[in-house]
Amino acid sequence: MVWDNNDRQRIYSGMQPSGVVHLGNYLGALTNWVHLQDDYNCIYCIVDLHALTVRSDGAQFRRKCRELFAMIMAVGVDPARSVLYVQSQVAEHSELAWIFNCYTYMGELGRMTQYKEKSQKHEDNINAGLFTYPVLQAADILLYKTNYVPIGEDQRQHLELSRDLAERFNKVYGEVFAVPDILVPKVGARIKSLQEPEKKMSKSDTSGDGAIIYLTDSPAAIRSKIKKAVTDSDARVAHSPDKPGVSNLLDIYAGVKRITIENALSEIGQCSYGALKEAVADAVAAELEPITQRYNDILADKAAMEDTMHSNAARAKTIAAATMRQVRKKLGLL
Ligand code: TYM
């Protein structure tokens, strides 16, 4: 396998097919996924099993998985260099998740912020999958003997559990799993809602579409959303906790331009809020336009995408199955 160069360490990350990819996903995770391909063996996953904690119609679910696959390719993940696959097509994830369930404590899962938030939001459907979600995530990561996991800040607690499980298992059975480290971007690790800048930009935001920039938004939609973004009454551009709206716009600008906050401030720090918003909107629209174009082209060739999906699942399965053979042997499973 050409991609799996032994001199390189392994990267693993995943994304839920639970809606259209937004700018938070892009700046917090995807841009990192793309450039890491130059230096690591990368494995990226559409984590459809994770998304089952929320009810969805089958046909719509399938469509969302395909769209996410196409979008990840459109931003620049190359399935010939990296592995890009769908979680449910590699059954080993579910198998290892069950085993890890038996090594994870209720207290550890009960402390998870995401579980607490999601069970408040979905009071009518607090299923066991929501509770054991981080265990499946640990299985995803550890199956591939991952060294680094590029994710946004909101996933830090889940990664800690993956590390703990790797160490716990290794302590009993010897070195089976690599203990993964987190990789969060310097800029863009926590992009906020445009309407409620104290909260993260999230697919499940209830304050409406104006709060979220989707990667498929037209330049006009991007401009209109950014123009209406909440700022504050003191018209001074600064990056500070008491100015969450303006700080978020600076994060977005620096993220899409791949510059530091200091450089962003020297470029647009003297602007009025109106001019600041215009500069941010221009930068975002310029970044996303070619991505949307590629996304539409990839989606148009369904057969080619389906082929890529299946051949990549087979590549992932080879690695996952080898790890599972080791795990089964250690546990004494016949
Ligand atoms: P998900 O699908 O919610 O998000 C995918 C990635 O996007 C990042 N992200 C953000 N980054 C910055 N600002 C935001 N507002 C923002 N919103 C989302 C997330 O941190 C994530 O990196 N549990 C994971 C999926 C998962 C996974 C894995 C990740 C399952 N198995 C194994 C890594 C490794 C999740 O729900 O991500």
Side-chain angles (χ1 to χ4, degrees), residues 162-223:
S162 305
R163 291 173 56 86
D164 290 347
L165 280 171
E167 281 166 356
R168 196 169 297 163
F169 195 95
N170 288 351
K171 206 166 164 192
V172 183
Y173 298 105
E175 290 297 308
V176 175
F177 297 113
V179 181
D181 278 314
I182 189 169
L183 276 184
V184 288
K186 286 202 181 73
V187 175
R190 198 187 282 276
I191 296 297
K192 306 291 176 47
S193 155
L194 296 181
Q195 287 304 314
E196 296 171 279
E198 309 75 30
K199 295 189 186 157
K200 73 168 182 178
M201 186 177 284
S202 159
K203 291 165 196 166
S204 53
D205 196 311
T206 47
S207 60
D209 267 0
I212 309 169
I213 294 179
Y214 298 106
L215 298 203
T216 48
D217 278 347
S218 66
I222 293 167
R223 278 176 219 291

Side-chain angles (χ1 to χ4, degrees), residues 248-262:
N248 193 36
L249 292 176
L250 286 166
D251 282 336
I252 292 173
Y253 184 83
V256 295
K257 292 237 164 184
R258 291 172 186 75
I259 57 176
T260 60
I261 296 295
E262 291 70 34

